[in-house]
Amino acid sequence: MVGEVQISGAKNAALGILAAAVMADEDVIIRNLPDVSDVNIMLEAIAGTGAVVKRLDRHEVLLNGSTIRSHVVDNSYIRKMRAGYYMLGAFLGKYHSARVALPGGCPIGVRPIDQHRKGFEALGAVTSIENNMICVEASELKGAYVYFDSVSVGATINVMMASVFAEGRTVLENAAKEPHVVDVANFLNSMGAHIKGAGTDVIRIDGVKKLHGSDYTVIPDQIEAGTFMAAAAATRGDVLVRNVIPKHLESISGKLREIGCTVEVYDDAVRVLVNRELHSVRVKTLPYPGFPTDMQPQITVVLSTAKGTSTVNETIFENRFKYVDELMRMGTNITVEHGSIAVIDGVKGLKGAQLVATDLRAGAALVIAALAADGDSVIDDIEFILRGYEDFERKLRALGGDIVMGDDEKEAKKFFLKANAV
Ligand code: UD1
């Protein structure tokens, strides 16, 4: 891969921000939205509650929560996209009542919601599960002290939203520090919320009576950027990744340097190039600012052709190495111990294969592997990838990747990749 790529808005920030936007009864404009299926389904789910959702252009939307008539988000949306559960925090905060379909099992692990419930209950809500719906109700919400037993992005954002209108002060301890938590807090503050400390592990929220309109731009996507950085490394290329916040990429840049890549950092871009042999390292996924679990499959692909034996220890999700079976068909030498540690013996090269994307990030990692491989590959079930990467194949083609998406009805869910990408 050689050239430049422009990173889109952060999917995971956008999902929280869209839910938070309808907590105001005035017009809110959100810019730099990524045009990916998760975001588009979230917009449909919000429109389904009666809110005004007006697409201004491909990356901009106007929302207004004053017309909401239903506090229910049903299964037809949640089946396809998990983050619909952010409507729980938003509607509990605003209307003291919400019902959202229980997110189904996810390919990467169990993904419980106990910490979300614990936070809502601390604020005074009663939570229950009825007919596969999570129900939250409160007669009043009062600021409270919440200590999260595990660091959860979703629970931090959800409880932060629910507490925006709670009377008095809420303190969230052991909060997640991910860039998208900070972006949702900044957005809520732009609507008049009083949130301090987002980005640290203690967030304080002083309740306000109402939120007003806002015009807000979503941050760039840390994981999309990291994925292109990994693609540059795996294909021994030279890629300038533009429109990023380099601070958010430090754990990824640091690891790629340790592997032997050159990483140059600019104000809003990073360049990754490979001009020497790559070698093995140890990686452990951790909450931010640690190495992101959402970059675990991509870094595994990079390490699969790096000299020596690497280990990748997944500490966030218990079932995130399913894709290794797919990688093995490309000639990698990886064993997974106890389901959580991949031991990777670097091989000289990968060969093309018929592959199936098992989840969003694993799917992206398989695409990277196929671009680095000798021989043609076909990747099936790419709707997982389209959930989170805007114009993925177009961006890769611009970097010299020979990749096309099947364009008839039967092949629409596949990527076809040809050998010897730049
Ligand atoms: C978010 C991201 C996802 C990323 C993950 C970790 C979105 C839409 N998704 O997912 O891409 O992989 O953060 O960075 O932003 N947990 C509990 N109880 C709970 C909630 C979580 O035990 O109530 C556990 C989970 O099982 C997991 C860990 O906490 O082991 C982290 O999960 P969490 O941060 O909540 O992930 P999500 O918000 O679902």
Side-chain angles (χ1 to χ4, degrees):
M1 308 269 94
V2 173
E4 297 186 7
V5 61
Q6 191 79 15
I7 296 306
S8 301
K11 168 187 83 90
N12 288 348
L15 293 169
I17 286 171
L18 292 174
V22 293
M23 294 179 75
D25 282 338
E26 296 177 11
D27 284 357
V28 173
I29 294 175
I30 308 296
R31 303 181 196 269
N32 201 31
L33 269 188
D35 185 9
V36 295
S37 63
D38 268 13
V39 164
N40 296 330
I41 293 165
M42 186 72 170
L43 287 171
E44 279 174 37
I46 292 172
T49 67
V52 174
V53 176
K54 207 157 100 195
R55 201 97 192 197
L56 301 177
D57 77 12
R58 188 176 181 204
H59 298 120
E60 286 173 17
V61 69
L62 180 148
L63 300 121
N64 190 317
S66 61
T67 50
I68 289 172
R69 47 178 192 272
S70 158
H71 312 150
V72 180
V73 179
D74 72 27
N75 192 31
S76 53
Y77 303 110
I78 299 294
R79 241 187 315 121
K80 300 184 221 151
M81 185 258 328
R82 197 186 144 76
Y85 65 21
Y86 283 144
M87 299 316 294
L88 281 173
F91 282 175
L92 175 63
K94 188 177 181 189
Y95 301 112
H96 292 185
S97 158
R99 290 164 72 87
V100 173
L102 205 52
C106 177
I108 62 172
V110 184
R111 306 186 84 163
I113 51 151
D114 56 305
Q115 298 305 307
H116 303 239
R117 293 180 72 175
K118 173 176 167 168
F120 296 150
E121 285 169 10
L123 296 173
V126 175
T127 75
S128 60
I129 299 200
E130 291 160 27
N131 303 324
N132 269 333
M133 305 282 280
I134 315 164
C135 310
V136 292
E137 296 282 338
S139 48
E140 56 173 357
L141 292 172
K142 283 218 154 117
Y145 176 90
V146 181
Y147 179 87
F148 292 115
D149 301 308
S150 56
V151 180
S152 162
V153 171
T156 302
I157 291 177
N158 235 341
V159 182
M160 184 168 78
M161 288 194 292
S163 62
V164 159
F165 297 125
E167 193 193 321
R169 173 169 288 194
T170 298
V171 179
L172 308 181
E173 289 261 13
N174 201 23
K177 297 180 277 200
E178 267 67 3
H180 36 298
V181 173
V182 179
D183 208 31
V184 177
N186 286 343
F187 168 62
L188 283 163
N189 284 342
S190 81
M191 294 194 297
H194 284 177
I195 302 173
K196 290 209 171 107
T200 76
D201 50 16
V202 185
I203 301 179
R204 293 183 180 79
I205 304 115
D206 286 321
V208 294
K209 291 264 181 279
K210 69 189 275 255
L211 297 178
H212 52 72
S214 174
D215 186 329
Y216 194 81
T217 302
V218 177
I219 54 167
D221 197 302
Q222 173 206 27
I223 305 299
E224 188 199 9
T227 301
F228 280 98
M229 292 167 75
T235 58
R236 309 300 191 261
D238 180 352
V239 176
L240 183 66
V241 184
R242 303 184 81 110
N243 184 36
V244 299
I245 299 175
K247 171 98 191 122
H248 296 165
L249 302 171
E250 275 173 358
S251 63
I252 303 162
S253 303
K255 208 37 90 176
L256 289 175
R257 281 197 191 103
E258 211 181 311
I259 296 171
C261 301
T262 299
V263 182
E264 293 172 2
V265 177
Y266 303 94
D267 286 350
D268 61 356
V270 290
R271 178 181 173 205
V272 177
L273 66 147
V274 179
N275 43 23
R276 58 193 160 119
E277 189 173 33
L278 301 186
H279 53 81
S280 57
V281 295
R282 294 201 302 186
V283 179
K284 187 175 186 178
T285 62
L286 289 168
Y288 190 84
F291 192 86
T293 174
D294 284 357
M295 279 299 299
Q296 181 259 95
Q298 301 90 316
I299 204 76
T300 298
V301 167
V302 175
L303 292 173
S304 66
T305 57
K307 189 171 180 227
T309 303
S310 301
T311 55
V312 175
N313 185 355
E314 171 60 57
T315 73
I316 311 289
F317 292 111
E318 71 273 19
N319 194 12
R320 208 165 189 179
F321 281 116
K322 273 203 205 151
Y323 67 92
V324 165
D325 289 342
E326 298 297 308
L327 274 186
M328 295 295 274
R329 290 181 214 217
M330 306 184 82
T332 59
N333 189 355
I334 305 174
T335 45
V336 179
E337 295 175 356
H338 314 295
S340 62
I341 301 178
V343 180
I344 305 153
D345 279 319
V347 293
K348 285 241 168 329
L350 305 178
K351 52 181 195 299
Q354 300 264 337
L355 305 162
V356 179
T358 51
D359 69 61
L360 165 59
R361 305 304 172 184
L366 292 179
V367 172
I368 295 174
L371 289 166
D374 205 7
D376 300 350
S377 298
V378 178
I379 302 181
D380 214 332
D381 283 358
I382 61 165
E383 54 284 285
F384 277 121
I385 304 173
L386 305 180
R387 281 181 39 200
Y389 290 90
E390 178 177 310
D391 293 342
F392 198 36
E393 79 287 3
R394 186 185 58 74
K395 291 184 185 184
L396 289 168
R397 267 203 307 274
L399 295 171
D402 195 339
I403 173 169
V404 288
M405 200 188 310
D407 59 3
D408 65 28
E409 216 165 86
K410 191 160 152 262
E411 302 287 18
K413 292 172 182 165
K414 289 184 182 156
F415 277 146
F416 296 91
L417 297 102
K418 287 236 183 293
N420 297 325
V422 182

